[in-house]
Amino acid sequence: MKTLYKFGASWCSPCQAMDPLLAEIDQLNVVKVDIEQEPEKAQAFGVRSVPTLIIVDENENPLAVRAGGINRHQLQQLIRSVS
């Protein structure tokens, strides 16, 4: 199963606003990564801003990247792009 990483931070309002949308996803494994608690993971994926969504395959190879806030329609498009 593919995984969607949401890189964010506790102080990031757009990151928190996306959480209800991410809770609706059932076709991907959703993992939230706080860049302040796991900076090495953010660095490994080249995350430079929050929020950043990265969809990876089973081998952690990035399939899609989206930086910045996202609405439901944009999230659905991102997921379809890797289906």
Side-chain angles (χ1 to χ4, degrees):
M1 176 179 256
K2 296 176 181 101
T3 299
L4 184 150
Y5 285 110
K6 182 200 94 175
F7 290 89
S10 60
W11 47 262
C12 173
S13 297
C15 299
Q16 294 168 2
M18 289 173 40
D19 285 345
L21 296 176
L22 298 177
E24 298 173 6
I25 297 173
D26 57 5
Q27 61 268 57
L28 299 171
N29 181 31
V30 177
V31 176
K32 297 175 188 172
V33 180
D34 187 310
I35 62 163
E36 293 180 332
Q37 295 178 6
E38 298 184 65
E40 65 286 339
K41 185 115 180 151
Q43 184 177 9
F45 280 100
V47 174
R48 296 183 177 265
S49 64
V50 291
T52 294
L53 300 178
I54 301 177
I55 300 176
V56 299
D57 65 14
E58 295 79 10
N59 296 316
E60 296 283 304
N61 297 311
L63 302 173
V65 178
R66 171 73 189 240
I70 195 169
N71 62 36
R72 180 174 278 109
H73 177 70
Q74 293 166 324
L75 179 59
Q76 291 169 344
Q77 285 183 316
L78 183 68
I79 292 169
R80 276 195 296 269
S81 75
V82 299
S83 297

